[in-house]
């Protein structure tokens, strides 16, 4: 997995980089096929805004989170991203479950 963390009007410290990395490890635990993750951290007045785009096979998942605290915003983003990745994984598994070839053989 390639991880790209950048800051907009914000310096990305090693502590923030490590925190984002540990939170995004949860996504890999649920879904192995993550190709690329791009995270943008920004500050807009008193709000900390985080955007993440996860490129998985067949789809790009984009999530945003805003909070007054940077670490709380990272937590929100990780939760949202986790739900979206699990939802995508369930859709893939539902579509792979039965093939048309096997459905016709099972009904006969």
């Amino acid at each position: 997995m390639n991880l790209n963390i950048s800051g907009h009007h914000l310096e990305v410290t090693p502590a923030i980089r490590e925190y984002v990395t540990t939170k995004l490890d949860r996504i890999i635990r649920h879904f192995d096929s993550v190709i690329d993750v791009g995270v943008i951290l920004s500050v807009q007045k008193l709000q900390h805004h985080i955007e993440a785009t996860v490129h998985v096979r067949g789809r790009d998942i984009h999530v945003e989170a805003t909070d007054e605290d940077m670490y709380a915003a990272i937590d929100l983003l990780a939760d949202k991203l986790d739900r979206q990745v699990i939802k995508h994984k369930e859709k893939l598994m539902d579509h792979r479950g039965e093939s048309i070839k096997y459905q016709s053989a099972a009904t006969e």
Side-chain angles (χ1 to χ4, degrees):
M1 171 184 85
N2 294 331
L3 179 61
N4 183 16
I5 301 173
S6 62
H8 185 71
H9 301 294
L10 173 75
E11 182 182 343
V12 180
T13 63
I16 291 175
R17 183 177 300 275
E18 182 66 30
Y19 193 73
V20 169
T21 305
T22 56
K23 287 296 182 176
L24 292 180
D25 284 341
R26 184 169 55 169
I27 295 164
I28 298 170
R29 192 173 30 172
H30 289 295
F31 193 62
D32 297 355
S33 300
V34 176
I35 298 168
D36 187 29
V37 179
V39 179
I40 300 173
L41 309 168
S42 64
V43 177
Q44 300 168 351
K45 295 197 179 187
L46 297 176
Q47 296 292 318
H48 297 275
H49 185 76
I50 301 177
E51 299 178 24
T53 303
V54 177
H55 180 69
V56 294
R57 191 172 42 128
R59 185 170 179 202
D60 287 339
I61 301 171
H62 182 78
V63 178
E64 298 179 5
T66 304
D67 202 314
E68 292 179 1
D69 182 32
M70 180 62 74
Y71 291 100
I74 293 169
D75 290 340
L76 284 172
L77 180 94
D79 291 340
K80 287 181 181 181
L81 201 54
D82 194 32
R83 283 193 301 267
Q84 291 294 321
V85 166
I86 289 172
K87 184 177 172 182
H88 176 67
K89 182 179 177 182
E90 288 174 355
K91 283 184 181 181
L92 283 178
M93 294 310 221
D94 288 343
H95 290 287
R96 285 189 199 161
E98 296 176 331
S99 173
I100 293 172
K101 182 169 88 173
Y102 295 118
Q103 286 178 351
S104 62
T107 57
E108 293 176 358

